[in-house]
Amino acid sequence: MIVFIAGMPRSGSTFSFNIARRLLEDRGSVYQEPTGDLLGAFERLGGAAHLLLKGHSADKVTLQLAQLGAMKVVCTVRKPADAIASWMTTFGFTLEQSLGHMEDWLRMFS
């Protein structure tokens, strides 16, 4: 199974990633990677039964496969103002930088 955690920044995507990993581990070996590069992850998959990806953005191929239903997608969302404030507080980014990260995710989500 292929699962992509497509989380809004600071929305609980890491928590969701950890839950998905645990559920998949009960059903076989898991290769996990924090990326939106599905094809690259396939090259590194080895003999794992499941592929688990996490990212706040994704490449075109990953998005197309998600739209086709070729993988499971978990999308975590948080009130944008709270996510931006958390991003700034946690990582020290400026408002402009934080808005840029949020724009990238919204572009992927759309």
Side-chain angles (χ1 to χ4, degrees):
M1 178 181 292
I2 304 168
V3 179
F4 179 46
I5 309 296
M8 174 188 276
R10 307 301 298 161
S11 67
S13 56
T14 299
F15 179 75
S16 299
F17 179 84
N18 290 331
I19 290 173
R21 181 185 64 231
R22 180 70 179 114
L23 291 169
L24 290 172
E25 285 172 344
D26 288 344
R27 293 160 180 80
S29 58
V30 178
Y31 176 75
Q32 63 186 41
E33 191 171 299
T35 182
D37 173 21
L38 183 64
L39 294 179
F42 267 122
E43 292 176 5
R44 296 178 287 278
L45 180 64
H50 306 287
L51 175 59
L52 177 60
L53 302 172
K54 176 187 177 278
H56 301 299
S57 62
D59 64 9
K60 187 176 179 178
V61 172
T62 302
L63 292 176
Q64 287 175 331
L65 290 171
Q67 289 172 342
L68 291 171
M71 67 178 124
K72 304 293 184 188
V73 179
V74 176
C75 186
T76 59
V77 180
R78 181 178 182 180
K79 184 177 175 184
D82 292 343
I84 290 168
S86 178
W87 189 263
M88 292 171 65
T89 302
T90 303
F91 301 113
F93 285 98
T94 66
L95 177 59
E96 288 178 354
Q97 292 169 321
S98 301
L99 287 171
H101 285 286
M102 192 60 63
E103 282 180 315
D104 291 344
W105 182 83
L106 288 169
R107 193 171 299 111
M108 177 185 71
F109 182 74
S110 68

